[in-house]
């Protein structure tokens, strides 16, 4: 091997080592960025959970005893809807009987 070829081999080895070092630095930066993003998302989630918990606690403490529970309101609205639906079905059936369709 000539001295030029040996020199090119050494330069290639050093260049490969530098590129490998650069590649590891880029990967480390990506990992750090990913970790920071995940930590920020976890912090936001924790802050949101704390806010919702304090809001729920506040609402429980300041609810008037005369206020019905939201589940009771939903149940009453469903019951009213069912009654209206059955009334409408009865009226349609009565009209059909009256017209001789049934």
């Amino acid at each position: 091997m000539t001295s030029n070829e040996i020199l090119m081999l050494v330069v290639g080895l050093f260049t490969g080592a530098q590129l490998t070092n650069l590649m590891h630095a880029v990967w480390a930066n990506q990992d750090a960025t990913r970790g920071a993003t995940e930590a920020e998302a976890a912090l936001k989630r924790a802050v949101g959970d704390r806010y919702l918990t304090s809001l729920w606690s506040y609402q429980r403490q300041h609810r008037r005893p005369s206020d019905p529970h939201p589940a009771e309101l939903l149940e009453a609205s469903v019951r009213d809807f069912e009654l209206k639906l059955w009334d409408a079905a009865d009226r349609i059936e009565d009209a059909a009987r009256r017209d001789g369709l049934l």
Side-chain angles (χ1 to χ4, degrees):
M1 244 204 266
T2 65
S3 62
N4 245 359
E5 291 171 339
I6 292 172
L7 184 60
M8 290 304 290
L9 176 66
V10 171
V11 168
L13 289 174
F14 284 128
T15 304
Q18 291 299 321
L19 288 176
T20 303
N21 193 20
L22 177 64
M23 180 181 61
H24 284 292
V26 168
W27 285 347
N29 186 29
Q30 287 176 348
D31 288 343
T33 304
R34 187 178 305 116
T37 304
E38 290 172 357
E40 186 177 343
L43 177 65
K44 286 181 181 180
R45 208 168 20 261
V47 168
D49 288 345
R50 182 175 177 151
Y51 170 75
L52 290 176
T53 302
S54 66
L55 178 65
W56 176 78
S57 175
Y58 174 81
Q59 289 175 343
R60 296 266 312 177
Q61 291 172 359
H62 292 87
R63 188 169 60 115
R64 293 186 303 251
S66 61
D67 289 345
H69 191 272
E72 295 170 350
L73 292 175
L74 178 64
E75 183 180 338
S77 67
V78 168
R79 192 177 321 117
D80 290 343
F81 178 74
E82 286 177 345
L83 290 175
K84 289 177 185 176
L85 189 64
W86 284 111
D87 288 343
D90 289 342
R91 279 184 277 139
I92 291 171
E93 184 180 351
D94 291 343
R97 286 184 197 276
R98 193 176 47 243
D99 294 342
L101 298 175
L102 287 180

